[in-house]
Amino acid sequence: MIPTARRAAPGAEALPAGTGYAPCHHGEILQGVFLDAEGRRCAGLVTLPLAGPGSHAEFVRRPGTAPGTLTAVPPDRTKAARAAALAVAHCAREAGLPASGGELTLTGDIPVGLGMGSSTSDVIATVRAVADSYRLTLGPEVIARLAVRAESACDPLMLDGRPVLFAQREGRVLEVLGPALPRLVVVGCALGGGAPVDTLAQPLGEASDADVRDFERLRALLRRAVATGDAGLLGQVATASARRGQRTLRHPEFDALTGLARRTGAVGVQIAHSGAVAGVLFDPAVPGWRHRVRGCLRALDAHGIPATHTFTTTTSEILHGPAHRGGRRPTGSDTCRRPARLPAL
């Protein structure tokens, strides 16, 4: 059992400022409707980790002020502001201190609207910063619960990076699939010219019994891929999930992307199910993969699909293109703060 919180040394409560960080991801490998341990249907997803971009938060408590007097910079981060208020209430109870107002400052370099978990990253960084200001460390279950309350659904960015099937609307792990994903080389790209996607406007749809059976089959295949380190099998699952997502997202480049993946010897493609970020997946155990990656980059360029960067799933190594550029994200709406900065995310 992971402890809910830990207290720092006596007297640390006099320091009201705290900081927090959370990473992003590169869209989903699998997303759908699955059965939990009790046989109940749950929306769930498995994300593709990405080292580099992230959200940084600083929270300065103002003891003696009303709990509702919270300010956020930039002021548009409404989900993060809700998370700060929820975290203040929780942490004040844990620390045995009165709840108070404070000032939240967010900085980061995650492109918004591409399906990389930018809002969840903001929310988790905020919760961690608030907890740090109270000299507490919250467990991932508590962070997930607060994140779902703040934004209705969240990605599993509060966890340790192991591949999990995560119920994003409930903030809980349905299954730990294994210790690590198979090693892949991912050629990242942005569909639709990198235009942001309003994730809240995406229709949910109702899964049929046949849909659930299909999702459970893909879940079993992904479990096997992780257990055996089978990059090819993971690629099949990711492509099948991306194809199902295409029914809703209708990316005009989808056929071109899957076609060039086949021609260049990729094991599959993955596409964010609530955005435009995508990846062409290669098995680095196959001889000549570097040549295949170069061919993929040329093919993406020929089809007018902007390449972003190439990275591996098992290390933070970026093989082509910078992972991110520093700086504060500009202001704007929660879903459209800025378009993707291309060719590098």
Side-chain angles (χ1 to χ4, degrees):
M1 176 69 70
I2 299 175
T4 298
R6 63 168 172 78
R7 296 180 187 271
E13 294 83 358
L15 301 174
T19 60
Y21 169 79
C24 70
H25 59 76
H26 200 263
E28 290 76 33
I29 296 171
L30 175 62
Q31 181 166 335
V33 178
F34 305 89
L35 301 178
D36 68 7
E38 284 73 44
R40 187 171 61 88
R41 291 185 177 190
C42 297
L45 50 79
V46 181
T47 56
L48 179 62
L50 173 63
S55 293
H56 298 264
E58 180 182 75
F59 185 76
V60 179
R61 282 196 291 122
R62 299 302 183 200
T65 62
T69 56
L70 291 167
T71 61
V73 178
D76 66 293
R77 307 297 169 83
T78 55
K79 295 176 183 177
R82 285 198 296 271
L86 292 166
V88 164
H90 177 88
C91 292
R93 288 195 303 270
E94 289 286 335
L97 295 172
S100 63
E103 299 171 3
L104 171 67
T105 302
L106 285 162
T107 58
D109 46 14
I110 307 173
V112 174
L114 295 188
M116 297 176 69
S118 60
S119 62
T120 294
S121 185
D122 279 352
V123 164
I124 293 173
T126 294
V127 171
R128 286 174 169 165
V130 171
D132 189 48
S133 77
Y134 283 90
R135 298 306 178 252
L136 300 172
T137 299
L138 303 182
E141 298 94 339
V142 175
I143 295 175
R145 186 168 66 247
L146 293 172
V148 168
R149 290 178 63 191
E151 59 171 342
S152 301
C154 70
D155 297 310
L157 301 175
M158 73 294 295
L159 301 176
D160 58 9
R162 288 181 297 170
V164 300
L165 179 63
F166 187 75
Q168 70 270 26
R169 299 182 188 280
E170 302 175 26
R172 64 187 178 104
V173 174
L174 297 177
E175 179 181 357
V176 177
L177 297 168
L181 292 174
R183 189 165 191 265
L184 293 167
V185 174
V186 182
V187 178
C189 59
L191 306 181
V197 173
D198 185 351
T199 56
L200 296 179
Q202 298 302 310
L204 296 177
E206 189 70 28
S208 66
D209 290 342
D211 289 331
V212 175
R213 287 193 296 270
D214 194 33
F215 289 131
E216 284 293 326
R217 179 183 64 83
L218 292 175
R219 173 186 185 175
L221 292 175
L222 184 56
R223 184 189 304 124
R224 188 199 314 168
V226 172
T228 60
D230 190 332
L233 186 56
L234 184 147
Q236 293 176 33
V237 172
T239 303
S241 184
R243 195 173 298 279
R244 291 190 67 100
Q246 176 65 3
R247 301 175 186 177
T248 299
L249 295 174
R250 303 185 185 281
H251 292 298
E253 309 98 327
F254 182 81
D255 289 340
L257 187 69
T258 53
L260 70 86
R262 287 192 300 271
R263 292 192 300 275
T264 57
V267 296
V269 300
Q270 60 89 210
I271 299 176
H273 286 239
S274 60
V277 72
V280 184
L281 312 177
F282 291 87
D283 183 354
V286 175
W289 67 265
R290 291 182 184 275
H291 173 74
R292 297 171 189 271
V293 165
R294 287 192 292 269
C296 177
L297 290 167
R298 289 192 297 268
L300 287 171
D301 184 61
H303 284 283
I305 301 174
T308 53
H309 54 269
T310 302
F311 63 97
T312 66
T313 55
T314 54
T315 71
S316 59
E317 182 183 14
I318 302 296
L319 303 175
H320 169 79
H324 65 96
R325 299 175 184 176
R328 176 175 296 176
R329 286 180 297 192
T331 59
S333 70
D334 264 316
T335 56
C336 298
R337 276 167 262 173
R338 67 168 171 84
R341 185 159 37 192
L342 301 171
L345 291 178

